[in-house]
Amino acid sequence: MRGGLPVNFFAQVETYINNWGVQYFLASFFNQKLGGHIIVELLERLEDLYGVCFNKNLDAFSFYVSGIDSSLSYKLINRFTEVFPFEVKSELVNNLVARSDLCLIVENTFNGSSVAIFGEVEGVYGNKLRTERYWGKKNEFCVFGIGVVEGNQKLVYFEESHHHGIARVQLFFEKSHFIIRDFLNVLGCFQWFFLSGPQRQYPSTDEEFNFFSEFVRKNWNTPIEQVFFFLESFIDGGELVGFNDGPIQIITDLQAR
């Protein structure tokens, strides 16, 4: 495929990757305990906004990519038993799955009950989440948004909004925050390889990042499944979100880095 594309093909699609790629990246990131406390606060803010209390027996959560344009949303509807807000009618659920970006499922791991909460992601122009126009085009039952915005303070923060009479919780990451910065660094690394070829080492000053970029470079012609298998071997299973012995715990502060 690369052989039939122009030299600068990656630059031409980079904006799309920044936007849609963040959607996939955040789904993966929030399924690790590093971001667990953010989801706890998201749930608490939704409870306050809507005057509800999620069942305290819900002891685990997980994120899934939704949307009609992603094959990962296939059979997503089979993963939950209820939808929040709870007034969503059953005949509207398929449309909600199709017209959203992310699905947060909070579940009871003992009896299988689960609640799905849907939201939107803006990986490039996060400020759109602050506008009436943006939400006027979205499903009314998407109740949270995650956006990447300009800023050099490395902040991640919440805002609450009411657009078209619907209460929503917004989560914003500044581009300087290490979560987004690392994601963009990876894209920069691939752009380098696509432009320069795998013969040239990626010029990074981060020793840990160099280890992985060098592995990718040296295995440029290795089947991608083998590359993924190697990279996944560095994910600590104990750091993945899943079963919790008690209530979801507030852990690592993402503002600290």
Side-chain angles (χ1 to χ4, degrees), residues 1 94 114 213 225:
M1 182 183 73
N94 280 324
S114 53
S213 66
E225 293 86 356

Side-chain angles (χ1 to χ4, degrees), residues 22-32 35-40 42-43 46 60-66 72-73 76 79 101-107 115-121 144-146 158 171 173 240-242 248:
V22 165
Q23 175 183 344
Y24 290 80
F25 171 68
L26 289 177
S28 176
F29 171 73
F30 284 127
N31 283 330
Q32 301 179 53
H37 74 289
I38 291 182
I39 307 310
V40 171
L42 172 64
L43 293 170
L46 285 172
F61 66 80
S62 53
F63 268 89
Y64 297 89
V65 173
S66 56
L72 293 183
S73 65
L76 176 60
R79 295 184 178 274
D101 289 335
L102 282 181
C103 177
L104 165 60
I105 297 180
V106 189
E107 60 184 313
V115 178
I117 308 170
F118 290 87
E120 293 288 330
V121 176
F144 71 88
I146 305 177
F158 284 95
L171 171 61
F173 284 91
L240 299 179
V241 171
I248 301 171

Side-chain angles (χ1 to χ4, degrees), residues 11 23 30 32 34 36 45 80 97 108 110 140 150 166 169 183 188 196 245:
Q23 175 183 344
F30 284 127
Q32 301 179 53
L34 178 62
R45 285 175 177 263
F80 53 84
V97 171
N108 182 317
F110 294 101
E140 61 181 319
E150 297 294 336
I166 300 169
V169 176
F183 173 77
S196 306
D245 293 326

Side-chain angles (χ1 to χ4, degrees), residues 43 47 53-61 82 105-115 242-248:
L43 293 170
E47 286 181 327
C53 183
F54 292 114
N55 190 328
K56 296 306 179 184
N57 290 324
L58 298 172
D59 58 358
F61 66 80
E82 295 181 88
I105 297 180
V106 189
E107 60 184 313
N108 182 317
T109 54
F110 294 101
N111 64 22
S113 63
S114 53
V115 178
F243 175 73
N244 293 274
D245 293 326
I248 301 171

